[in-house]
Amino acid sequence: MAITIRTPQEIDRMRRSGQVVREVLERVREAVKPGASTLELEQAAAEKIRELGATPAFKGYHGYPCVLCTSINNEVVHGIPSSDRKLRDGDLVSIDTGVVLDGYYGDSAITVAVGSKVDAKAQKLLKVTAASLESAIRAVKPGATLGDVGAAVQETVEAE
């Protein structure tokens, strides 16, 4: 598979798409609270995507009805937001979204603790996964291999 070299202008458009996703996820993070439905998170995301002038990447993709995927606790990814799914104090909610802006896709996910009653095991999961991501990012550099990145993540996880 060939590596495509992007122009500075293309990289800038890619960066802007990623920044929109970050802003959408931050807006949704603010809406995460006990009692909120996953549909309320969906509505916050859709509003922010419109406000920022982007197009939702997920909505309509193979018939998917939403701009977010939301999964609570041990649910498998890609849960469909619903007014029936209410967040409870102590839950972990995974929130995934993507947008298209200026022809470029941005896509990212976060996991957010709901309320203040998150147990120690869930807190550790959040801490270790965040540290693993930071280790992986630091390992990505010219000449690095996928094995280098994997080793950095493994080292972090085993240290915790």
Side-chain angles (χ1 to χ4, degrees), residues 116-128:
S116 59
K117 296 181 180 175
V118 179
D119 68 33
K121 190 174 179 181
Q123 288 177 13
K124 183 172 183 179
L125 174 68
L126 292 172
K127 178 184 171 210
V128 172

Side-chain angles (χ1 to χ4, degrees), residues 2 4 20 40 49 54 68 93 96 105 134 149 159:
T4 303
V20 167
E40 290 174 80
I49 290 169
L68 290 182
V93 60
D96 186 2
Y105 284 79
E134 292 301 319
V149 176

Side-chain angles (χ1 to χ4, degrees), residues 5-137:
I5 305 298
R6 299 290 178 188
T7 67
Q9 295 80 14
E10 290 172 319
I11 292 169
D12 185 55
R13 288 195 298 265
M14 293 167 73
R15 182 178 292 111
R16 285 197 314 261
S17 181
Q19 287 170 338
V20 167
V21 170
R22 179 188 53 80
E23 288 185 47
V24 170
L25 289 173
E26 285 305 314
R27 171 61 191 96
V28 175
R29 181 191 301 271
E30 293 168 4
V32 170
K33 61 185 177 222
S37 72
T38 56
L39 186 60
E40 290 174 80
L41 305 182
E42 166 76 9
Q43 292 163 339
E47 180 182 310
K48 189 68 175 178
I49 290 169
R50 271 192 308 276
E51 175 189 315
L52 295 172
T55 301
F58 297 178
K59 191 168 187 169
Y61 181 73
H62 292 286
Y64 190 75
C66 297
V67 304
L68 290 182
C69 297
T70 54
S71 303
I72 301 171
N73 297 326
N74 61 350
E75 291 177 341
V76 177
V77 297
H78 301 141
I80 298 173
S82 165
S83 59
D84 296 332
R85 295 297 317 230
K86 304 280 186 184
L87 302 176
R88 295 181 304 215
D89 203 351
D91 283 342
L92 294 182
V93 60
S94 172
I95 304 160
D96 186 2
T97 197
V99 303
V100 182
L101 183 70
D102 297 330
Y104 286 87
Y105 284 79
D107 184 337
S108 192
I110 57 174
T111 301
V112 181
V114 180
S116 59
K117 296 181 180 175
V118 179
D119 68 33
K121 190 174 179 181
Q123 288 177 13
K124 183 172 183 179
L125 174 68
L126 292 172
K127 178 184 171 210
V128 172
T129 55
S132 296
L133 174 61
E134 292 301 319
S135 294
I137 291 168

Side-chain angles (χ1 to χ4, degrees), residues 128 131-133 135-137 139 147-159:
V128 172
S132 296
L133 174 61
S135 294
I137 291 168
D148 296 328
V149 176
V153 169
Q154 182 174 350
E155 207 172 281
T156 300
V157 170
E158 290 176 350

